[in-house]
Amino acid sequence: MGALDEGHFNGELKENGVKINKCFKEDKEEESESIRNIKEAVKVLLQGLGEDFNREGLKKTPLRVAKALTEGTRGYKQNVKDIVQGALFPEAGLDKAVGLAGGAGGLVVVRDLNLFSICESCLLPFQVKCHVGYVPSEERVVGLSKLSRVADVFAKRLQSPQRLADEVCSGLQNGIRPDGVAVVLQCWHIHSPEAELNSASPNSNSCKHDMEGWEKILVSSSSGILGNQNGDFWVDFVSLLKFRGVDVEKARSQPSINHNWCPYRPLDVVCNGHSTPRNPLIHRVSCKTEYPLPAMQNAVSMMIQSLGEDPSRKELAGTPRRFVQWLMNYKKCDLEMNMKMNGFGSVHVQDEFRSELNIQLQSLCEHHLLPFHGVVHVGYFHSKGAEPIKRSVLQSIVHFFGCKLQVQERLSRQIAETVSSILGGDVMVVVEANHICMISRGIEKVGSSTATIAALGRFSNDPKAKATFLNSISNATVA
């Protein structure tokens, strides 16, 4: 999002009348070889997208991506033994029978651990809600925070949901040696841009962090006495999860889709990675059909190897190709606007307000090469009696500007200016989006969203017009 970029602010701030010298700078730490390799690989990818990695806004992208990837895969350098060592505490139960450490029942469950991992099939982050249960043995319990930390060790690797569940389960079983472990993961994977566009509907609102419109899966793994899924401990475990609305038995009875978990799939009509918008009224994309370049795929293989993985591993063999195919959705293309549209271009004294809400958006953050997604709301005035602009036209505009490296502020302005050039001036655009770079790395603010406004013409100087549009969004959201 980056309105204030790192390393670009030097000045004095005043707090309660006192001057405070502030200086934001990039760390000058010596870069590791893996960071350097990933940076060079990202430059190859940016060039393959038709971008100049030396332009403002992209200069630090290779470093940001390298840091994000190494941080997101730090689990390769961690092990469970180091985490749980010294975190086992004596806790005598009612007696010395199996599983009674801590009291009758013995089962300990930690629910709703929010994690992020990286899909080994496409290198995109996916969200995980992890639920862990274990039955203590030898009158020992483990510090509850360690369960989360152990789960995070395995989440911070290239993963698939089932492998992640199995590794967390075996890691805890071997690390704290309880009488049994059970792990349930709810996982969500973001759609490809075209899948998101095809699922668009006037009433959808993907900016809410309810994960609707994402690929979902529930997986489980268990060991020891919790491996008996007809036993009392397993029944207790799934019952405690039902308190949180997680129905494990129902999910397990459905056909498994784990082998097709990653939702990335080839686009029907490919042009530089774009599925060409099918509305000929608004624009056509000028580009030649291309396929992912070998140099880009080799760069991704280098990235995987630099993270400590084996690019030739069976599950990773097709990952470079899939990631490059996905990335090519955002290759730069030229837009030719058709301005000869009946009913547009002139606004008279008598005009009326119109709005189109919840237009689906998916784009790619140019700072981290991670997707952001959400909805766009467009409000405008047009000549009374004239035909309003079609929703499909607005969706095409949003789709076009989303299919390139972006920041949300610029995207909002570009959509507003393009719609204004068609309608004649009075346009307002509100964009609400979830940024994967905000919730999968760094501060990991799960549930956070970003809203931006671009107002032109009457909306920029008429509070009543602006309030009318904002209220229409609010009313639709409540409804």
Side-chain angles (χ1 to χ4, degrees):
M1 309 173 5
L4 179 63
D5 202 5
E6 298 102 323
H8 284 181
F9 178 80
N10 284 278
E12 293 181 336
L13 300 178
K14 286 188 177 181
E15 184 174 322
N16 297 326
V18 180
K19 291 184 178 180
I20 304 173
N21 291 321
K22 292 288 184 181
C23 181
F24 299 105
K25 296 181 179 179
E26 284 284 353
D27 292 336
K28 299 299 182 180
E29 299 175 359
E30 185 176 349
E31 293 176 358
S32 65
E33 182 180 1
S34 62
I35 290 286
R36 291 195 298 271
N37 289 340
I38 296 173
K39 281 175 59 179
E40 293 306 310
V42 173
K43 290 178 182 179
V44 173
L45 297 178
L46 291 173
Q47 287 178 318
L49 289 173
E51 288 282 1
D52 176 10
F53 56 77
N54 287 316
R55 78 166 169 84
E56 196 64 34
L58 289 181
K59 287 181 180 180
K60 295 182 181 179
T61 295
L63 179 59
R64 292 190 188 99
V65 173
K67 286 185 174 181
L69 281 174
T70 52
E71 172 66 16
T73 55
R74 67 176 184 268
Y76 288 117
K77 300 178 181 179
Q78 298 174 311
N79 63 73
V80 173
K81 189 174 181 180
D82 291 340
I83 292 174
V84 301
Q85 198 169 36
L88 291 170
F89 307 101
E91 186 64 39
L94 297 181
D95 55 45
K96 296 182 179 181
V98 171
L100 295 186
L107 179 65
V108 179
V109 180
V110 176
R111 302 168 295 192
D112 300 327
L113 299 172
N114 285 313
L115 306 171
F116 268 87
S117 191
I118 299 178
C119 175
E120 66 182 7
S121 295
C122 65
L123 298 187
L124 293 181
F126 64 93
Q127 183 174 344
V128 180
K129 193 174 287 290
C130 176
H131 314 278
V132 180
Y134 80 102
V135 179
S137 67
E138 300 177 4
E139 299 184 348
R140 296 182 306 170
V141 295
V142 67
L144 297 179
S145 65
K146 305 306 179 185
L147 299 177
S148 177
R149 290 189 61 190
V150 169
D152 194 56
V153 166
F154 296 106
K156 291 297 187 287
R157 301 179 183 185
L158 304 187
Q159 287 287 10
S160 67
Q162 189 60 58
R163 178 182 297 106
L164 177 57
D166 292 341
E167 289 184 347
V168 172
C169 182
S170 62
L172 288 171
Q173 184 67 51
N174 296 327
I176 62 179
R177 300 196 176 280
D179 285 311
V181 176
V183 176
V184 168
L185 305 180
Q186 296 170 278
C187 304
W188 295 266
H189 193 309
I190 193 168
H191 276 311
S192 66
E194 194 63 14
E196 193 75 17
L197 178 62
N198 289 340
S199 67
S201 67
N203 296 320
S204 64
N205 189 359
S206 65
C207 68
K208 292 183 178 180
H209 200 79
D210 55 9
M211 311 307 291
E212 290 183 3
W214 291 39
E215 292 289 342
K216 307 172 188 177
I217 191 173
L218 184 148
V219 296
S220 64
S221 184
S222 56
S223 62
I225 58 176
L226 275 165
N228 177 9
Q229 296 183 358
N230 293 317
D232 292 340
F233 284 105
W234 176 261
V235 172
D236 291 346
F237 176 65
V238 297
S239 296
L240 292 174
L241 293 190
K242 277 187 178 181
F243 294 174
R244 312 296 290 181
V246 182
D247 193 334
V248 177
E249 297 301 334
K250 181 179 179 181
R252 287 166 60 89
S253 67
Q254 297 174 347
S256 174
I257 59 169
N258 193 51
H259 62 288
N260 290 324
W261 142 257
C262 178
Y264 180 82
R265 44 191 171 268
L267 302 180
D268 295 332
V269 182
V270 178
C271 181
N272 280 350
H274 289 276
S275 178
T276 306
R278 292 172 172 76
N279 191 328
L281 281 177
I282 185 63
H283 73 266
R284 66 178 183 270
V285 179
S286 301
C287 52
K288 297 179 180 179
T289 301
E290 295 181 9
Y291 297 96
L293 303 176
M296 296 176 73
Q297 295 187 42
N298 291 337
V300 177
S301 294
M302 179 189 293
M303 290 165 57
I304 293 173
Q305 188 171 15
S306 298
L307 295 174
E309 262 288 4
D310 179 8
S312 63
R313 177 162 67 86
K314 180 179 66 173
E315 294 84 359
L316 293 173
T319 299
R321 174 183 54 80
R322 285 189 288 267
F323 179 74
V324 172
Q325 272 189 308
W326 170 79
L327 197 61
M328 292 293 280
N329 283 296
Y330 304 96
K331 183 173 175 64
K332 294 181 68 176
C333 288
D334 297 324
L335 177 68
E336 298 180 15
M337 301 296 300
N338 184 347
M339 301 301 295
K340 298 178 181 179
M341 303 178 67
N342 295 331
F344 301 127
S346 60
V347 178
H348 302 292
V349 176
Q350 287 187 321
D351 49 20
E352 57 185 1
F353 169 75
R354 300 282 300 193
S355 66
E356 287 289 350
L357 308 180
N358 299 318
I359 300 170
Q360 297 294 300
L361 161 72
Q362 177 138 200
S363 191
L364 188 68
C365 169
E366 71 176 28
H367 293 161
H368 304 96
L369 298 189
L370 288 174
F372 63 93
H373 66 101
V375 290
V376 177
H377 314 290
V378 180
Y380 60 93
F381 286 94
H382 74 117
S383 301
K384 192 171 184 178
E387 181 183 356
I389 189 170
K390 292 182 179 179
R391 182 182 179 87
S392 60
V393 173
L394 295 175
Q395 178 69 79
S396 292
I397 295 173
V398 170
H399 183 53
F400 172 79
F401 286 110
C403 282
K404 54 181 84 262
L405 302 187
Q406 280 286 11
V407 294
Q408 185 172 329
E409 299 90 335
R410 182 196 308 141
L411 174 68
S412 306
R413 174 178 54 80
Q414 289 174 333
I415 294 172
E417 290 176 345
T418 302
V419 176
S420 177
S421 69
I422 298 171
L423 294 174
D426 300 324
V427 175
M428 183 169 168
V429 170
V430 172
V431 178
E432 300 181 89
N434 297 110
H435 289 249
I436 302 302
C437 59
M438 281 279 290
I439 60 179
S440 68
R441 62 175 294 276
I443 58 175
E444 296 190 0
K445 294 300 181 183
V446 176
S448 64
S449 64
T450 302
T452 50
I453 290 177
L456 301 174
R458 186 184 311 183
F459 289 102
S460 63
N461 51 38
D462 184 349
K464 185 177 179 180
K466 182 181 291 187
T468 298
F469 179 44
L470 295 176
N471 287 336
S472 70
I473 300 173
S474 178
N475 293 337
T477 302
V478 172

